Amino acid sequence: MRVLVASVTAVVAALALSSCTGDAPADQPSGVSGPSGRTSAPRLGQAPTVTLSPAPEPPPPAPARFRAARAIADVRLLAGIIGPRLATAPAYRAAGRTVSGRLDGLGYDVRRQWFRVPAGDSWGVPVAAGRSFNVVATPAGFDPGRPHLLVGAHLDTVAVAPGAEDNASGVAVLLEAARLATEQGTRLPVVLVAFGAEEPRGPGDDEHHVGSRHYVRHMPPAQRDALRAMVSLDRVGVGRDVPVCTGPLSPPDVRQALLRDARRVAVPAHPCENTASDHWSFEKAGFAVARLGSTSYAEYHSAADRPRVVDPRQLTRTGRLLWAWLERPGQPR
């Protein structure tokens, strides 16, 4: 009987020892993860090996998107709050401060380019001579002697018009393009200009496009050689497709490139001929140009040209087309 009890006791002790140690080899105590995925400890005198998971890949950059809500807010600010912006009036200077502040906040180097504006007739309203200015914004580190592009939109209005479509719409798209260029980069550096005194003060070129004519006239020779193309944004807030215009002097390259980009990003667009915006000042000086916008609308040059006239969907079409032309090749969409 004593022999049987001793045998049972030995078996129980062996089973207890087995349940405590598991299957781990004698030289691999528990406590550190081993190759098999079980916990183990290092050999005596050996530091534990820690395996880290690979660092996650950084997310791809967010696609460049035109913000229609921001653009229409800018239209409401310029046309609904500031209102008519005759180039020589205090309201124009207020609008200039607003646009300058926005561009400065995006990191651009911003300056005012002053010039004289003649007396004349602003769409039926006699107006005195005075001074106005262009708001010129260049990216940080800009070299005017290296290849670059220029995008402009006139900031002024005729005397009686709040100028929502003509041309807060163009300025709003320009400001969105400025943001996208800062966040995403562009294929070439882009100069942005809010032109003063685009609206006529009488018949003929000498009393029209005063701010852009002044800009062209004062471009240094190196900058003239380096400017590859100019696009004017003028009346881009109505219609269902985007007019892509030039005058009769410009080579067709810029217009053709914009029309190709319109097809690429599925923006409806059509070609046209037009000399009634700031692109004409550059075109007469021999530059390749285009104008986006110029769809007819009932409220043109009137007190009824208020923010309700402007369609955010048309701002988006124009903004997407302009950005397709400016963006770096291969940017995510």
Side-chain angles (χ1 to χ4, degrees):
M1 175 63 72
R2 281 196 293 270
V3 173
L4 179 59
V5 169
S7 299
V8 170
T9 301
V11 169
V12 169
L15 289 172
L17 180 62
S18 173
S19 68
C20 292
T21 61
D23 297 327
D27 62 350
Q28 186 173 296
S30 62
V32 177
S33 177
S36 65
R38 293 186 300 231
T39 58
S40 63
R43 296 172 186 270
L44 186 61
Q46 180 182 17
T49 301
V50 179
T51 304
L52 299 177
S53 301
E57 291 290 328
R65 297 195 182 280
F66 182 88
R67 300 185 307 189
R70 177 68 264 179
I72 202 68
D74 287 334
V75 170
R76 290 176 181 138
L77 172 60
L78 291 171
I81 297 176
I82 296 177
R85 302 176 298 283
L86 185 71
T88 52
Y92 180 85
R93 292 192 286 275
R97 287 192 297 270
T98 298
V99 171
S100 297
R102 286 283 299 282
L103 293 168
D104 180 75
L106 289 169
Y108 288 86
D109 295 324
V110 183
R111 64 184 176 91
R112 294 184 182 186
Q113 185 184 44
W114 289 87
F115 52 88
R116 297 289 301 175
V117 183
D121 182 280
S122 179
W123 217 251
V125 177
V127 289
R131 297 178 76 219
S132 189
F133 57 88
N134 300 322
V135 177
V136 181
T138 54
F142 173 70
D143 181 351
R146 297 184 65 83
H148 62 277
L149 307 170
L150 189 148
V151 176
H154 75 86
L155 183 57
D156 66 309
T157 68
V158 296
V160 300
E165 158 69 355
D166 188 12
N167 184 43
S169 65
V171 175
V173 172
L174 180 143
L175 290 173
E176 267 297 277
R179 178 188 66 83
L180 289 170
T182 299
E183 294 177 1
Q184 304 280 334
T186 52
R187 59 187 173 90
L188 287 174
V190 181
V191 176
L192 302 164
V193 186
F195 289 111
E198 186 275 343
E199 295 290 4
R201 292 198 164 207
D205 282 354
D206 289 344
E207 296 186 353
H208 204 182
H209 316 128
V210 179
S212 54
R213 288 193 292 115
H214 179 85
Y215 184 95
V216 170
R217 189 164 57 248
H218 288 84
M219 290 176 69
Q223 188 173 0
R224 288 175 176 270
D225 293 340
L227 180 58
R228 294 294 179 262
M230 184 272 183
V231 168
S232 176
L233 304 167
D234 195 349
R235 292 178 38 222
V236 297
V238 299
R240 297 184 177 182
D241 62 353
V242 180
V244 183
C245 311
T246 66
L249 305 178
S250 177
D253 308 42
V254 182
R255 182 171 66 183
Q256 289 175 351
L258 283 161
L259 291 170
R260 284 195 301 270
D261 287 330
R263 291 189 292 270
R264 176 167 63 88
V265 297
V267 169
H270 68 268
C272 52
E273 186 171 298
N274 183 287
T275 62
S277 188
D278 289 310
H279 68 290
W280 182 231
S281 300
F282 289 81
E283 185 169 349
K284 289 186 297 181
F287 295 103
V289 305
R291 170 186 176 171
L292 299 183
S294 71
T295 302
S296 297
Y297 67 111
E299 297 84 357
Y300 174 68
H301 278 191
S302 78
D305 188 6
R306 299 186 177 279
R308 61 175 178 76
V309 171
V310 175
D311 184 349
R313 295 169 296 181
Q314 184 69 349
L315 295 180
T316 301
R317 294 181 194 108
T318 306
R320 288 183 60 217
L321 173 51
L322 177 68
W323 182 245
W325 182 70
L326 293 174
E327 68 181 342
R328 286 175 175 162
Q331 283 183 328
R333 299 202 61 78

